[in-house]
Amino acid sequence: MDKQFIFDPDIFIMAIRYSIGRTTFASKTVIDNIKVNIDFFPTNKLKIILRDVKDDLELYKEYLWECDVQTWENFIEYLDSVINERIENGK
């Protein structure tokens, strides 16, 4: 029996919300999967992820390890660039 993965951006939004305040490998795993699948995300879903990460990083920043903070800050920069490029290209 063949099984297929059904891509649903909302699953990634839930995964981001789960992983943002944690000091585990979960955040890097979620971020890496979003980056690999970035072309499948509508811009509005990327904006939701960006908003959630920015808001939650402010909330949890003092409790996270510096490497986790850097990972999230790099992801914010990445999302900003992808969203801005799409807007500039009319997508």
Side-chain angles (χ1 to χ4, degrees):
M1 174 182 353
D2 288 339
K3 293 185 179 185
Q4 292 184 328
F5 175 75
I6 299 171
F7 182 84
D8 183 349
D10 292 334
I11 294 294
F12 288 94
I13 292 171
M14 289 178 241
I16 285 285
R17 290 175 178 167
Y18 167 82
S19 65
I20 188 73
R22 303 184 187 277
T23 55
T24 70
F25 64 90
S27 56
K28 177 125 175 46
T29 302
V30 172
I31 289 169
D32 289 347
N33 276 276
I34 289 173
K35 287 181 174 181
V36 167
N37 293 290
I38 199 72
D39 292 335
F40 297 111
F41 283 87
T43 303
N44 68 317
K45 297 293 184 177
L46 293 179
K47 288 179 179 179
I48 291 169
I49 292 171
L50 180 60
R51 181 204 62 210
D52 287 352
V53 171
K54 284 181 174 179
D55 289 351
D56 288 350
L57 185 58
E58 275 305 309
L59 185 64
Y60 295 112
K61 195 173 193 174
E62 66 183 284
Y63 305 107
L64 296 174
W65 294 339
E66 183 57 35
C67 61
D68 292 322
V69 171
Q70 189 62 51
T71 297
W72 288 114
E73 288 175 344
N74 289 342
F75 187 52
I76 288 169
E77 289 177 19
Y78 172 78
L79 287 177
D80 270 332
S81 69
V82 169
I83 292 167
N84 289 332
E85 182 180 321
R86 287 183 180 188
I87 290 170
E88 289 172 7
N89 294 326
K91 292 184 180 180

